[in-house]
Amino acid sequence: MKKTALLIIAVLGILLLRAAEDLPFWGDPQSPASVHLSDYYLEESYEETSVPNIVTSVLADYRGYDTMFETVVIFCAGITVLIVLRRTHRRRAKVISPRPERPGADIILQTAARLLVPMMQLFALYVVAHGHHSPGGGFQGGVILGSSLILLALSYDIQMALHRFKEKLVLLFSAGGVLLYAAIGLACLFLGRNFLAYGAWAALLGISEPEAHSHGMLGVEIGVAITVLCIMFSLYIDLASGGDLDEGL
Amino acid sequence: MLDILVIIFMVMGLFFFFGTTVGIVRFPDFYTRTHAAGKGDTLSVMLMLFGLALYNLHHLSPATLLVSGKIVIICVVVFIASPTATHAIMDAGYEAKVRHWSRPGAPKDPQDNSGEKQ
């Protein structure tokens, strides 16, 4: 069995190396990726989307379909961890999971968390909203938002964080973020354009088409941020407490 | 004048960074090393960032003031977060009963319960 696995890996590795020979060199101006589309994005993306950050316009507009399913992948990963780990009352009786006792609360950590969490959340909102102009966007902002909740759960306990943000709401919102993304794209379909062609919103909102692209991107970034936030938090609470959601680390 | 101040801050930051590094390498056990990392790192990062904020004010304008303000905010965040993280790490080490160092030949502390589980 081990030898078979080794053989398969060796064959695949040789294939990969042979295939990698055909890849273009780093920064080759003649490589296919730089010939057809890059110039177009560099020259036209600001005219078409009024978003100065080309990365954001490519990610959320030109390749919005791809990004939507990236968000779905994150959602699926979170749900998978939930299915594997989450223990209901019925299943809990079967599994014994001894955890060390953690006596007392740490006032230093709690005070620092109290000071830091609002700053983190404010900064996360800035990262989400400022993705059009600087590095940032839904994924990064969502991760910062999620880690602020995780910090709360770490320095107090999971119960306290769950009291602020119920598990049902977490799961509802993690699906809601993806649905918000899809809904923005679907609305374009109903307004007579292609899926995720944000220009369709222009007439409805009474703005020019590039601005509609910009606003559409902001909408989907918010959807991404909500999903990433909820999945990060859900992953933490399930992993840290072994699926019981009682006390955690 | 401003340059002299900046140089003083940067050199002090470098000095404390050096002390931190020496402490992490040379101190004998987990607690003292974490102590050196937490104390020296925080102070030197703050000194150097403050020096950079001052250096940025060579051309006084709203834009540079904004950047300097952001650097000062980073100082505040480091001041809160870094010692707290050090405290948390050390607390976790204490709870995991990490052995602390004592001078060879020193009488054993009767209240020392850290050496029970090696």
Side-chain angles (χ1 to χ4, degrees):
Chain A
M1 190 64 213
K2 241 180 183 176
K3 274 178 187 165
T4 326
L6 204 67
L7 192 73
I8 293 171
I9 287 172
V11 169
L12 285 180
I14 290 167
L15 274 178
L16 187 70
L17 286 177
R18 288 303 294 270
E21 280 176 7
D22 289 340
L23 285 177
F25 287 111
W26 280 110
D28 182 8
Q30 297 303 319
S31 67
S34 324
V35 170
H36 301 293
L37 277 172
S38 294
D39 295 342
Y40 178 79
Y41 289 147
L42 291 176
E43 286 162 11
E44 305 287 335
S45 72
Y46 186 69
E47 307 278 313
E48 284 186 0
T49 64
S50 78
V51 169
N53 189 353
I54 299 168
V55 175
T56 302
S57 64
V58 171
L59 180 99
D61 193 344
Y62 295 109
R63 297 184 185 176
Y65 200 61
D66 181 51
T67 309
M68 189 178 93
F69 280 100
E70 273 169 28
T71 320
V72 173
V73 165
I74 291 176
F75 176 72
C76 290
I79 295 300
T80 309
V81 170
L82 192 84
I83 291 169
V84 173
L85 283 181
R86 185 76 173 91
R87 230 175 276 152
T88 53
H89 287 290
R90 199 155 43 83
R91 281 170 66 186
R92 187 177 305 173
K94 293 183 189 165
V95 189
I96 311 154
S97 61
R99 271 195 299 277
E101 298 258 325
R102 257 195 73 89
D106 195 329
I107 197 162
I108 298 175
L109 288 184
Q110 292 182 353
T111 312
R114 239 169 224 286
L115 287 170
L116 282 176
V117 165
M119 265 196 263
M120 285 169 76
Q121 292 181 343
L122 200 63
F123 180 68
L125 293 179
Y126 164 82
V127 168
V128 172
H130 215 255
H132 287 29
H133 298 270
S134 61
F139 290 99
Q140 295 88 334
V143 167
I144 301 174
L145 272 175
S147 53
S148 77
L149 281 178
I150 292 173
L151 179 64
L152 215 57
L154 268 175
S155 53
Y156 288 79
D157 53 12
I158 285 182
Q159 286 304 324
M160 186 265 192
L162 274 179
H163 183 66
R164 302 282 163 100
F165 197 14
K166 298 268 190 301
E167 198 204 4
K168 270 186 187 156
L169 269 183
V170 172
L171 297 175
L172 204 65
F173 272 102
S174 62
V178 183
L179 285 179
L180 175 65
Y181 199 138
I184 289 172
L186 213 58
C188 303
L189 214 59
F190 283 114
L191 290 168
R193 299 282 191 91
N194 288 333
F195 188 61
L196 289 171
Y198 310 125
W201 286 89
L204 207 64
L205 299 172
I207 48 178
S208 69
E209 225 168 82
E211 277 179 349
H213 276 275
S214 171
H215 289 346
M217 270 184 248
L218 183 63
V220 302
E221 297 268 25
I222 291 171
V224 171
I226 293 172
T227 295
V228 173
L229 151 70
C230 296
I231 290 302
M232 286 278 294
F233 187 52
S234 161
L235 282 182
Y236 171 76
I237 55 176
D238 280 324
L239 287 173
S241 66
D244 287 340
L245 305 193
D246 47 4
E247 50 197 0
L249 295 175
Chain B
M1 182 58 206
L2 194 60
D3 273 338
I4 297 171
L5 260 179
V6 171
I7 290 170
I8 290 174
F9 272 114
M10 296 301 263
V11 167
M12 274 166 67
L14 266 182
F15 175 76
F16 282 113
F17 251 130
F18 183 70
T20 307
T21 316
V22 171
I24 291 173
V25 175
R26 291 292 301 162
F27 274 156
D29 72 346
F30 167 75
Y31 298 104
T32 44
R33 285 181 188 188
T34 320
H35 166 83
K39 279 245 166 59
D41 228 31
T42 315
L43 181 60
S44 46
V45 164
M46 283 173 65
L47 282 172
M48 293 186 96
L49 283 177
F50 198 69
L52 286 175
L54 281 181
Y55 180 76
N56 193 46
L57 289 178
H58 263 300
H59 309 282
L60 205 58
S61 71
T64 58
L65 264 179
L66 182 65
V67 171
S68 292
K70 283 179 184 171
I71 296 177
V72 170
I73 290 175
I74 294 176
C75 280
V76 173
V77 172
V78 169
F79 181 66
I80 299 171
S82 175
T84 315
T86 313
H87 164 78
I89 293 170
M90 219 180 281
D91 193 40
Y94 185 73
E95 240 166 67
K97 298 200 167 67
V98 177
R99 274 176 71 99
H100 69 73
W101 179 83
S102 50
R103 200 154 23 84
K108 194 162 165 39
D109 187 356
Q111 289 180 334
D112 176 16
N113 61 351
S114 64
E116 288 168 358
K117 204 173 101 186
Q118 291 190 22

